[in-house]
Amino acid sequence: MDNLSDTLKKLKITAVDRTEDSLEGCLDCLLQALAQNNMETSEKIQGSGILQLFASLLIPQSFCTAKVANIIAEVAKNDSLQAQLINMGVIPTLVKLLGIHCQNAALTEMCLVAFGNLAELESSKEQFASTNIAEELVKLFKKQIEHDKREMIFEVLAPLAENDAIKLQLVEAGLVECLLEIVQEKVDSDKEDDIAELKTASDLMVLLLLGDESMQKLFEGGKGNVFQRVLSWIPSNNHQLQLAGALAIANFARNDGNCIHMVDNGIVEKLMDLLDRHVEDGNVTVQHAALSALRNLAIPVVNKAKMLSAGVTEAVLKFLKSEMPPVQFKLLGTLRMLIDAQAEAAEQLGKNVKLVERLVEWCEAKDHAGVMGESNRLLSALIRHSKSKDVIKTIVQSGGIKHLVTMATSEHVIMQNEALVALALIAALELGTAEKDLESAKLVQILHRLLADERSAPEIKYNSMVLICALIGSESLHKEVQDLAFLDVVSKLRSHENKSVAQQASLTEQRLTVES
């Protein structure tokens, strides 16, 4: 390693007077040392202060450019030096070199290795975005026929495409057309390399659609060539393409206009056909992706009735028996979106004993917070949107009440509120049926706590009081309300800064006084 120190000293001198042979010799020694012990050598380089020199040695016409790029690529493997290299501004220099020396295979490769190592860093993405990296990479990509070389470019593209500005640049540089071409070329091949490339290309395509601007540009009002090509992936027999197609649709379905256009143009039927092909021992990732797309499409109000009449609930319910949490989660979300303000559909689903029993089971899925939360929200939604006595009875018989009471103590205000509104409807419509369950779930004590807690949101206080007024229609629950001295808590809320809370407090106080 002493040799290394000598090399570094010598390099400092030769870098100034640019003696070709000496400089080349020093760079060779350095590369050798990096190959033997990257970590230790990188630290020595850092300590020697020689890093700054490399940026100045990256001159387009210099004889040693490829070797310097190689050293930078090696040094960039060591995390602690990546930020330093970025601050020195090697990225714009290397991008420039890539454009000038695109015929030089060795130099191109070194630039790509360096980019691959640096692109993972968040701070590098802003620098990359200010260069014409997208244009250069796409130009390079179009020329490559070898799988390994394409693979190298993909490894740089994937981390860069996480940045929204670069996503748009890549789309404008024509990357999408290249990716679609690869998909078309490789779709029927069973060669391992081709299958891998198909996956990488279609995954990258989906990633480009995650940016709002790049997604809208490719959607082109639903008339775009890219959108049409992606649509054709959904009925294909290739699982990877089915997956990418469904994920792409889910990404296109990120604004109401796109969703409405797609539903009007028959996308729902295509997704239902795809789901149908995966009911028995299906591909979980495809199920998850297709359900994600349907959930997003169901968000605009005008789409709900259309999707319900197309039979989406029936298609989704076929996956009730799934044991995969990601599929369960999307299934619940899709149903919840579909029944929003759709009373008839909410009643129909709420009377479906199989569904309600499964929801109650999932409400206890403590290992999967997402599934647990969505099950609770769907239970509450079935009551809130149907306002149906039959639905309430089904939920009581299936043991769902205790979960709605627990939901009222959630850390998320929106969920607390949904639970309280559902419980108020239960108390107003079917108090006799639910009385025992509400009692054993200790609802009255929970409401006392929510009203006494200064941190409770105004809407939580308001709905808790509405619920108390409904509960005193039950003799046993009324006794609990009296025992807990609710009057004290409620009278304090008459001076609450929120007008609705203050008014409801006066009303509740009157009710409690009259009924006592």
Side-chain angles (χ1 to χ4, degrees), residues 212-225:
D212 288 334
E213 279 188 89
S214 50
M215 178 271 285
Q216 271 314 84
K217 193 173 175 64
L218 294 172
F219 189 66
E220 292 181 64
K223 305 276 186 287
N225 166 42

Side-chain angles (χ1 to χ4, degrees), residues 111-164:
C111 289
L112 289 174
V113 173
F115 292 153
N117 289 330
L118 296 172
E120 299 289 344
L121 248 77
E122 217 32 63
S123 56
S124 77
K125 293 187 172 72
E126 282 166 32
Q127 271 206 25
F128 275 118
S130 65
T131 69
N132 63 338
I133 184 78
E135 217 177 298
E136 294 300 349
L137 287 176
V138 173
K139 221 188 314 180
L140 197 62
F141 194 82
K142 284 178 178 167
K143 279 192 279 199
Q144 295 305 334
I145 322 154
E146 293 168 53
H147 171 76
D148 295 347
K149 290 278 162 57
R150 275 181 174 180
E151 201 62 33
M152 277 185 90
I153 302 173
F154 271 139
E155 277 169 22
V156 181
L157 286 170
L160 287 182
E162 286 166 13
N163 175 285
D164 281 0

Side-chain angles (χ1 to χ4, degrees), residues 107 121 140 374 405 513:
L107 185 58
L121 248 77
L140 197 62
E374 278 291 347
V405 175
T513 313

Side-chain angles (χ1 to χ4, degrees), residues 293-484:
L294 287 170
R295 180 200 170 279
N296 289 0
L297 290 165
I299 293 172
V301 177
V302 293
N303 280 357
K304 297 181 198 294
K306 293 174 187 167
M307 289 174 74
L308 288 165
S309 61
V312 173
T313 41
E314 293 77 0
V316 170
L317 285 171
K318 289 177 186 168
F319 295 90
L320 256 191
K321 54 183 188 289
S322 170
E323 291 304 329
M324 307 306 282
V327 173
Q328 296 166 353
F329 180 72
K330 287 297 176 186
L331 171 152
L332 293 163
T334 308
L335 292 176
R336 190 164 62 79
M337 286 302 159
L338 281 169
I339 62 162
D340 190 10
Q342 305 293 314
E344 201 182 314
E347 179 160 20
Q348 208 180 341
L349 279 178
K351 292 192 295 194
N352 179 331
V353 179
K354 259 193 186 149
L355 169 66
V356 174
E357 283 177 348
R358 194 70 162 133
L359 291 184
V360 171
E361 187 188 319
W362 286 340
C363 282
E364 287 162 12
K366 293 197 167 51
D367 296 343
H368 301 287
V371 173
M372 197 163 84
E374 278 291 347
S375 309
N376 278 303
R377 293 189 76 182
L378 184 52
L379 264 188
S380 147
L382 292 169
I383 295 168
R384 289 183 296 112
H385 298 305
S386 71
K387 298 182 177 58
S388 148
K389 291 183 169 204
D390 289 338
V391 169
I392 294 170
K393 282 178 188 161
T394 308
I395 288 174
V396 172
Q397 281 155 10
S398 306
I401 297 296
K402 62 177 180 190
H403 296 298
L404 290 170
V405 175
T406 307
M407 185 182 169
T409 64
S410 163
E411 58 199 37
H412 305 291
V413 174
I414 191 164
M415 284 176 71
Q416 274 186 296
N417 218 26
E418 287 171 358
L420 291 170
V421 173
L423 289 164
L425 283 164
I426 292 169
L429 298 169
E430 274 298 322
L431 187 55
T433 313
E435 184 180 45
K436 280 197 170 54
D437 287 356
L438 294 171
E439 219 175 312
S440 63
K442 306 210 172 356
L443 175 62
V444 175
Q445 286 95 311
I446 285 170
L447 293 174
H448 190 276
R449 235 182 19 241
L450 290 175
L451 287 171
D453 188 346
E454 287 175 6
R455 292 165 306 177
S456 294
E459 59 267 43
I460 300 301
K461 292 194 188 298
Y462 177 87
N463 282 322
S464 296
M465 289 188 282
V466 170
L467 185 45
I468 285 294
C469 293
L471 291 178
I472 55 180
S474 145
E475 204 175 312
S476 58
L477 292 166
H478 188 193
K479 187 178 179 316
E480 279 191 41
V481 172
Q482 284 174 315
D483 292 348
L484 273 172

Side-chain angles (χ1 to χ4, degrees), residues 27-43:
L27 293 172
D28 284 337
C29 288
L30 208 45
L31 279 169
Q32 222 172 338
L34 280 163
Q36 284 164 359
N37 189 337
N38 185 294
M39 199 72 172
E40 204 175 322
T41 307
S42 294
E43 281 167 15

Side-chain angles (χ1 to χ4, degrees), residues 207-252:
L207 186 56
L208 292 175
L209 293 173
L210 277 172
D212 288 334
E213 279 188 89
S214 50
M215 178 271 285
Q216 271 314 84
K217 193 173 175 64
L218 294 172
F219 189 66
E220 292 181 64
K223 305 276 186 287
N225 166 42
V226 175
F227 173 66
Q228 297 301 330
R229 290 279 283 278
V230 164
L231 271 188
S232 72
W233 293 356
I234 292 175
S236 95
N237 290 320
N238 183 302
H239 280 189
Q240 174 57 34
L241 280 194
Q242 292 170 359
L243 170 65
L247 286 174
I249 297 302
N251 284 340
F252 280 127

